[in-house]
């Protein structure tokens, strides 16, 4: 018997509770047990991309005055070209990760997975709406909001109240 809100992944061959999607980056299904780790991966990737872009732009503006004096130097011209390419790739990655992180957060707030959104099975279902704090606590495994962003911890499943337990 299949648990509610579980799906079978055709790539992994596993049945995953609250399966959101199969992620090629981590080569695994994102579901109930590892959704919080995927959110942390997106958050820290976005943070590090911002950090790298900030230093790339600072480095670029440091080299811009050198370009006026040493325009004919091969190294200066090619380093500026590489920095422009790296900035373009960083901005592209930042926009992509921001979109992915945003859709994952909206999915948690609305308590739907990507598979449920695509199949339109959760539109106006008679299940009760949970507050956003509870849905985030269920995903991250703790009610302490400061612990949501700490990657070196174990996720403990929350005890769900009885009136919410019938749809999990």
């Amino acid at each position: 018997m299949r648990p509610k809100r579980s799906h079978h992944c055709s790539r992994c061959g596993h049945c995953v509770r609250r399966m959101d999607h199969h992620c090629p980056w981590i080569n695994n299904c994102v579901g109930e047990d590892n959704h919080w780790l995927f959110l942390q991966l997106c958050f820290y990737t976005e943070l590090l991309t911002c950090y790298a872009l900030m230093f790339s732009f600072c480095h670029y503006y440091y080299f811009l005055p050198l370009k006026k004096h040493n325009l004919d130097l091969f190294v200066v011209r090619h380093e500026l070209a590489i920095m422009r390419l790296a900035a373009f790739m960083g901005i592209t990655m930042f926009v992509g990760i921001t979109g992915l992180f945003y859709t994952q957060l909206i999915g948690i707030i609305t308590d739907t997975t990507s598979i449920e959104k695509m199949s339109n099975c959760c539109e106006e279902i008679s299940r009760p709406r949970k507050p956003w704090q509870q849905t985030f606590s269920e995903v991250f495994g703790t009610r302490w909001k400061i612990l949501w962003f700490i990657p070196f911890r174990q996720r403990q499943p929350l005890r769900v109240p009885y009136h919410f337990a019938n749809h999990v």
Side-chain angles (χ1 to χ4, degrees):
M1 189 160 154
R2 187 179 80 141
K4 290 183 180 181
R5 299 185 75 188
S6 65
H7 295 277
H8 182 79
C9 179
S10 59
R11 291 189 182 196
C12 294
H14 296 285
C15 187
V16 181
R17 286 180 50 103
R18 290 199 66 194
M19 180 177 167
D20 192 74
H21 64 283
H22 182 89
C23 182
W25 293 356
I26 60 174
N27 194 25
N28 201 357
C29 291
V30 176
E32 183 179 61
D33 293 334
N34 62 353
H35 197 191
W36 67 285
L37 291 169
F38 183 74
L39 284 170
Q40 285 184 352
L41 173 74
C42 291
F43 175 75
Y44 285 118
T45 302
E46 192 171 350
L47 193 70
L48 289 174
T49 304
C50 279
Y51 184 72
L53 280 173
M54 181 183 67
F55 279 114
S56 178
F57 287 132
C58 290
H59 196 67
Y60 179 75
Y61 283 114
Y62 169 74
F63 270 105
L64 207 53
L66 292 177
K67 183 181 173 186
K68 295 176 186 171
H69 298 293
N70 302 325
L71 189 59
D72 56 341
L73 284 176
F74 179 81
V75 174
V76 172
R77 284 188 290 151
H78 283 76
E79 187 164 352
L80 287 172
I82 290 173
M83 285 175 24
R84 287 180 185 140
L85 180 66
F88 174 74
M89 290 172 56
I91 290 170
T92 304
M93 179 142 180
F94 179 74
V95 169
I97 290 292
T98 301
L100 179 64
F101 189 60
Y102 174 76
T103 57
Q104 291 296 310
L105 289 180
I106 294 299
I108 292 174
I109 290 170
T110 60
D111 195 27
T112 57
T113 64
S114 298
I115 293 175
E116 292 169 347
K117 286 179 195 173
M118 287 190 293
S119 66
N120 295 329
C121 72
C122 290
E123 290 184 319
E124 301 302 322
I125 293 181
S126 61
R127 66 178 177 185
R129 284 282 183 201
K130 299 183 224 177
W132 69 270
Q133 293 96 342
Q134 183 176 356
T135 57
F136 274 90
S137 296
E138 287 175 6
V139 169
F140 285 102
T142 182
R143 288 180 174 81
W144 295 90
K145 294 174 182 65
I146 192 72
L147 296 177
W148 291 352
F149 297 103
I150 297 176
F152 306 111
R153 66 175 181 86
Q154 295 263 335
R155 180 187 178 272
Q156 300 296 325
L158 286 179
R159 294 185 183 162
V160 181
Y162 177 73
H163 62 279
F164 288 126
N166 57 359
H167 81 280
V168 174

